[in-house]
């Protein structure tokens, strides 16, 4: 084989989610149905927020960006996985693998930082309402959006930089249905102990710290709303509950995958399936179903196009 990027491996063979044809067919059907139903819902959320002048508050601005990030994230793994279900040989080039890994962590970290920004937005709105319009002005919102994109890029480029310097000289069977750090590192022809520690620090520790910080911030918010009126308390509790559900859906699988040494567990592939395909598409939908303003605007938009 030709050497490429100091490696003899020019492609990886993906072993897939399962070797059972019946299970593959079942998962293919369920994921395809889910994908075709939920993905348009994410784009509908973006269209609704963009087209309704009443949904200009920072909360909706960030919700629209969450829907965009999650829709983009779902394109990294799901389409190829669906095609591979129908293919006998599942092969991805070395460059394709690195590209998939880069965008997976770029958008994943971007979403993680976006959830932190959304928690900050709720904290200011509920705990410092008099300062809200000053702190969360349009310029500040765009600055926070730029910061989270840069944060995601920095996180991902560090991952890629560490991996492309590893030598891959023989084994190329990747025990997963997509390229991710834990499985790729295992194929390196060198001692990867230090690299694994750096990866766990970059992905695992960062994920865990963000998760704990988010839980602490929502705990502060929930303690603060105890003294509010019943109406304000109910709305704040509904918003925070939604955010907490998304935090657990987003961070739970990530913590399971990235905060431990890179050893294989039987549940790894199932957790990865939910983390990369199912949960990202569900996040904006969960937000929308619990937000009366967005639901009302969405119904208005749909009725308008149906009448036309």
């Amino acid at each position: 084989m030709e050497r490429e990027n100091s490696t003899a491996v020019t492609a990886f063979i993906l072993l897939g989610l399962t070797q059972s044809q019946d299970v593959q067919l079942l998962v293919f059907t369920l994921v395809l149905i889910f994908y075709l139903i939920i993905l348009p819902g994410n784009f509908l959320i973006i269209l609704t927020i963009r087209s309704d002048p009443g949904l200009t508050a920072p909360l909706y601005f960030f919700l629209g960006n969450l829907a965009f990030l999650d829709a983009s994230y779902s394109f990294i793994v799901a389409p190829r996985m669906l095609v591979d279900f129908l293919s006998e040989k599942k092969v991805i080039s070395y460059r394709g693998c690195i590209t998939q890994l880069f965008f997976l962590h770029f958008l994943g970290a971007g979403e993680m930082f976006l959830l932190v920004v959304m928690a900050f937005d709720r904290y200011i709105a509920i705990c410092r309402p008099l300062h809200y319009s000053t702190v969360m002005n349009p310029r500040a919102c765009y600055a926070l959006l730029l910061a989270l994109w840069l944060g995601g890029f920095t996180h991902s480029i560090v991952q890629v930089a560490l991996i492309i310097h590893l030598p891959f000289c023989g084994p190329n069977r990747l025990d997963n249905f997509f390229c991710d750090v834990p499985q790729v590192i295992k194929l390196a022809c060198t001692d990867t102990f230090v690299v694994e520690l750096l990866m766990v620090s970059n992905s695992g520790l960062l994920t865990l710290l963000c998760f704990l910080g988010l839980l602490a911030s929502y705990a502060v918010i929930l303690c603060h709303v105890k003294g509010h009126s019943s109406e304000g308390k109910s709305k704040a509790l509904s918003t925070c509950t939604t955010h907490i559900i998304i935090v657990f859906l987003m961070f739970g699988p990530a913590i399971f995958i990235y905060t431990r040494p890179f050893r294989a567990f039987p549940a790894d592939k199932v957790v990865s399936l939910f983390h990369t395909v199912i949960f990202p598409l569900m996040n904006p939908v969960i937000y929308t179903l619990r937000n009366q303003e967005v639901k009302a605007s969405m119904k208005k938009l749909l009725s308008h196009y149906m009448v036309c």
Side-chain angles (χ1 to χ4, degrees):
M1 279 188 183
E2 295 178 353
R3 293 185 69 82
E4 180 173 325
N5 291 336
S6 301
T7 176
V9 173
T10 57
F12 293 106
I13 298 172
L14 300 173
L15 297 184
L17 187 64
T18 176
Q19 298 304 309
S20 169
Q21 291 294 327
D22 292 336
V23 175
Q24 283 193 43
L25 181 61
L26 176 63
V27 175
F28 172 84
T29 305
L30 293 176
V31 170
L32 181 63
I33 293 171
F34 180 83
Y35 200 68
L36 293 177
I37 293 174
I38 303 296
L39 184 61
N42 280 267
F43 288 117
L44 179 60
I45 292 168
I46 298 170
L47 180 63
T48 300
I49 292 172
R50 295 276 296 176
S51 62
D52 191 339
L55 300 178
T56 56
L59 172 65
Y60 305 115
F61 171 75
F62 292 128
L63 176 57
N65 279 279
L66 177 69
F68 173 76
L69 268 174
D70 278 328
S72 302
Y73 190 81
S74 69
F75 279 116
I76 300 169
V77 175
R80 183 183 180 88
M81 182 186 72
L82 292 172
V83 171
D84 283 346
F85 275 136
L86 306 176
S87 306
E88 259 188 57
K89 201 170 184 181
K90 306 167 178 63
V91 179
I92 184 170
S93 68
Y94 176 84
R95 287 181 178 177
C97 182
I98 296 299
T99 302
Q100 186 181 61
L101 191 150
F102 170 78
F103 281 105
L104 188 75
H105 284 268
F106 175 38
L107 297 176
E111 182 176 348
M112 181 174 68
F113 294 138
L114 178 56
L115 291 176
V116 173
V117 170
M118 292 177 79
F120 175 72
D121 171 72
R122 289 301 84 201
Y123 171 79
I124 300 296
I126 295 170
C127 301
R128 299 287 186 270
L130 297 178
H131 300 91
Y132 185 71
S133 58
T134 304
V135 175
M136 299 303 294
N137 59 70
R139 181 177 291 182
C141 290
Y142 281 108
L144 288 169
L145 188 65
L146 176 62
L148 70 89
W149 279 101
L150 289 174
F153 177 82
T154 303
H155 163 79
S156 187
I157 207 70
V158 169
Q159 303 276 81
V160 171
L162 289 170
I163 285 179
I164 60 176
H165 286 94
L166 292 174
F168 296 92
C169 55
N172 68 339
R173 296 170 69 84
L174 203 66
D175 190 18
N176 211 338
F177 56 93
F178 67 102
C179 284
D180 200 5
V181 174
Q183 291 78 31
V184 173
I185 283 183
K186 287 177 189 173
L187 300 180
C189 302
T190 185
D191 182 14
T192 59
F193 177 75
V194 175
V195 178
E196 287 186 29
L197 281 181
L198 291 172
M199 293 293 188
V200 168
S201 299
N202 187 27
S203 291
L205 186 61
L206 182 64
T207 302
L208 185 61
L209 289 175
C210 286
F211 175 69
L212 295 175
L214 284 167
L215 290 185
S217 67
Y218 285 118
V220 171
I221 293 171
L222 292 174
C223 288
H224 183 81
V225 299
K226 281 185 178 179
H228 284 200
S229 63
S230 57
E231 183 181 348
K233 184 177 180 179
S234 176
K235 188 172 182 180
L237 285 173
S238 176
T239 303
C240 288
T241 302
T242 305
H243 284 224
I244 292 169
I245 291 171
I246 301 301
V247 166
F248 274 98
L249 290 180
M250 171 70 185
F251 286 88
I255 289 171
F256 177 82
I257 294 168
Y258 299 114
T259 57
R260 55 181 170 81
F262 295 153
R263 291 178 297 171
F265 283 86
D268 280 355
K269 291 183 181 180
V270 176
V271 173
S272 294
L273 175 66
F274 279 92
H275 182 55
T276 58
V277 179
I278 307 298
F279 290 157
L281 292 172
M282 287 177 61
N283 290 346
V285 176
I286 293 171
Y287 268 112
T288 303
L289 291 176
R290 295 182 64 88
N291 189 295
Q292 297 300 324
E293 289 84 359
V294 177
K295 280 199 294 185
S297 181
M298 196 176 289
K299 287 177 183 176
K300 185 179 176 182
L301 181 69
L302 288 173
S303 62
H304 172 74
Y305 279 105
M306 287 176 72
V307 169
C308 293

